Amino acid sequence: QLQLQESGSGLVKPSQTLSLTCAVSGGSISSGGYSWSWIRQPPGKGLEWIGYIYHSGSTYYNPSLKSRLTISVDRSKNQFSLKLSSVTAADTAVYYCARAPFEYYFDYWGQGTLVTVSS
Amino acid sequence: EIVMTQSPATLSVSPGERATLSCRASQSVSSNLAWYQQKPGQAPRLLIYGASTRATGIPARFSGSGSGTEFTLTISSLQSEDFAVYYCQQYNNWPLFGPGTKVDIK
């Protein structure tokens, strides 16, 4: 059974960089045909897709976040990571990692991790 | 740019009753539409993809229909565990979620 687990700092100061990692177990991130995404959900609000990466390193980002965003993959550790720079309070959210067949629907999700942007 | 809308925002239903949730896209997304269920404190769970295909392990009381711009999720007989928020998501281009419909107990 595939499992995804987010980790990283739960508190980030305004203007700094948010960094999260998603560890994948029960399957290989190098398996073809899947993309690996970050999705976030502000408290009490809906879901926003952030971006995805393939095991090859190819990425596609939400245009609204693209200028601040870097998603990378470490195949040796079977994990992928998110960096979001110049954060503000609007970036406070539960951040999920998820898998999708190609760029389609999300069939496996991590449990989510709350990141709060505050001084 | 595609805009996703869902209606109603809140649906109050008695256990055992049928629930019908709507999702609309501002332009055609073909059948590239998924539905998710989210309970408080949990990650979303995939229910339906391809507009009408149930995901693995999803009970038959959940069904999806539609194509193009109009989609429907039907829960034929609501169980206590079905009270949750439901999101649609198009994947015709980059992933975009609707704002959600909360199904609560009447």
Side-chain angles (χ1 to χ4, degrees):
Chain A
Q1 176 78 346
L2 191 75
Q3 292 188 320
L4 294 83
Q5 178 67 58
E6 304 90 348
S7 63
S9 176
L11 180 64
V12 183
K13 289 181 167 54
S15 80
Q16 294 191 342
T17 296
L18 179 160
S19 297
L20 295 173
T21 295
C22 180
V24 178
S25 59
S28 173
I29 205 167
S30 297
S31 298
Y34 296 102
S35 63
W36 304 88
S37 276
W38 289 98
I39 296 160
R40 69 181 182 179
Q41 184 172 38
K45 296 188 178 180
L47 299 159
E48 179 183 34
W49 171 75
I50 297 170
Y52 66 67
I53 191 165
Y54 280 95
H55 68 87
S56 63
S58 298
T59 55
Y60 195 86
Y61 298 155
N62 186 323
S64 69
L65 297 169
K66 185 175 182 178
S67 63
R68 301 192 288 131
L69 188 59
T70 302
I71 297 177
S72 58
V73 64
D74 186 335
R75 289 179 294 277
S76 66
K77 293 183 178 179
N78 216 35
Q79 63 186 35
F80 62 107
S81 299
L82 165 73
K83 291 187 185 298
L84 183 66
S85 63
S86 304
V87 296
T88 69
D91 295 309
T92 293
V94 175
Y95 284 75
Y96 295 100
C97 57
R99 186 191 84 165
F102 299 98
E103 302 104 38
Y104 300 161
Y105 46 87
F106 302 103
D107 56 357
Y108 285 92
W109 295 68
Q111 65 184 26
T113 188
L114 175 63
V115 178
T116 301
V117 178
S118 174
S119 56
Chain B
E1 180 181 320
I2 295 176
V3 176
M4 305 297 293
T5 57
Q6 290 186 243
S7 62
T10 302
L11 183 62
S12 296
V13 185
S14 299
E17 289 187 339
R18 182 186 191 93
T20 302
L21 289 66
S22 294
C23 174
R24 176 176 293 180
S26 60
Q27 58 188 264
S28 177
V29 298
S30 187
S31 294
N32 297 317
L33 193 286
W35 289 94
Y36 301 84
Q37 176 193 67
Q38 187 179 34
K39 297 179 181 179
Q42 296 184 17
R45 177 174 71 143
L46 177 67
L47 299 175
I48 301 284
Y49 62 91
S52 61
T53 302
R54 275 191 302 277
T56 302
I58 301 303
R61 65 180 181 272
F62 292 91
S63 63
S65 63
S67 66
T69 62
E70 301 279 345
F71 301 89
T72 300
L73 175 70
T74 301
I75 311 171
S76 60
S77 177
L78 268 158
Q79 307 298 302
S80 58
E81 62 267 30
D82 300 335
F83 292 98
V85 178
Y86 292 83
Y87 295 96
C88 61
Q89 176 232 328
Q90 69 83 20
Y91 49 92
N92 199 55
N93 45 34
W94 54 273
L96 181 64
F97 294 89
T101 291
K102 182 179 181 181
V103 177
D104 66 14
I105 301 174
K106 187 174 183 181

